[in-house]
Amino acid sequence: MSSKDVEIELKRWRNPDEEVKASAAQQLSIEEALAYRNAGNLPDAQGRSLRLVLHVNDAAELSYLQEKRLEFEPDFHDAPSWRKEGSKPVNVVPLRRDDVVGDGGRAWWEDPDVAALETEWMATGSVAGMRVPADVRSFVYKTVLSLRAAGREVNPDSVADSIARWMSPKEAEQIRASLKQT
């Protein structure tokens, strides 16, 4: 699915009564999607790359969205072996019905766990013993909390490996190098 495909399909999904022409998106089986990802998730001639569309139909599904995502991305915290030059990250597109209400859309820094990391960063410039550049701290906070929740070790390599799932290899390596600076 290209970015334009996502926009078209979201419009079709949100307004089923409108006549909107289908996009060029192709639905793949799990096996086909994994094969495409493992081949590098390189965009095709139409700019399409792999996207994971997750339907959220009620509050219970919303509360288990992360677990559902991990069913399809079990190696979420490990450096992706399939990434190569020109590859795209696997974007996750959650489709939530209008009547499914989340946490009220609070800002990331209002979450108590994130606020504690922000307080630590404000005082020391570091989080979990790592110097964190200001412009990437929200990504690092989310990753630190996710790694901790999974019982994984938190260090510059584990954070950068996890972030490498959805950033370019170059960006992930820049973050790794920044986190290793003392």
Side-chain angles (χ1 to χ4, degrees):
M1 205 181 278
S2 69
S3 296
K4 185 67 177 168
D5 292 333
V6 172
E7 292 172 14
I8 292 169
E9 293 303 324
L10 284 174
K11 186 173 184 176
R12 287 169 42 97
W13 186 77
R14 289 179 178 141
N15 304 299
D17 296 333
E18 287 185 28
E19 290 189 30
V20 178
K21 185 179 175 186
S23 72
Q26 295 178 345
Q27 185 170 347
L28 303 176
S29 69
I30 293 171
E31 294 79 18
E32 290 169 324
L34 289 174
Y36 193 84
R37 182 201 67 180
N38 293 341
N41 197 28
L42 298 168
D44 68 8
Q46 294 178 314
R48 296 179 300 190
S49 62
L50 191 62
R51 288 184 166 69
L52 176 61
V53 178
L54 298 174
H55 293 269
V56 181
N57 296 305
D58 57 35
E61 286 184 6
L62 182 60
S63 69
Y64 291 106
L65 187 60
Q66 182 65 8
E67 288 85 353
K68 189 173 181 182
R69 176 183 181 179
L70 291 176
E71 282 182 46
F72 299 99
E73 290 190 295
D75 56 348
F76 180 76
H77 289 304
D78 297 316
S81 59
W82 55 267
R83 292 295 296 270
K84 58 177 131 181
E85 193 63 40
S87 68
K88 297 294 180 192
V90 176
N91 291 350
V92 177
V93 182
L95 293 180
R96 185 173 69 185
R97 287 185 7 196
D98 290 340
D99 61 335
V100 178
V101 180
D103 65 3
R106 70 178 173 200
W108 61 267
W109 58 85
E110 292 174 349
D111 177 277
D113 294 330
V114 174
L117 296 178
E118 176 71 357
T119 299
E120 179 183 352
W121 182 83
M122 294 286 287
T124 66
S126 297
V127 169
M130 300 175 290
R131 303 254 338 130
V132 179
D135 60 332
V136 297
R137 70 186 193 275
S138 64
F139 302 126
V140 172
Y141 295 171
K142 179 179 177 183
T143 305
V144 166
L145 294 175
S146 183
L147 287 166
R148 286 178 177 169
R152 304 282 297 258
E153 184 177 352
V154 175
N155 60 49
D157 290 321
S158 65
V159 170
D161 286 350
S162 183
I163 288 174
R165 297 286 299 160
W166 46 272
M167 292 185 115
S168 73
K170 181 180 177 183
E171 291 169 315
E173 289 312 309
Q174 289 171 335
I175 289 173
R176 184 186 315 274
S178 294
L179 296 175
K180 287 185 174 186
Q181 293 179 356
T182 55

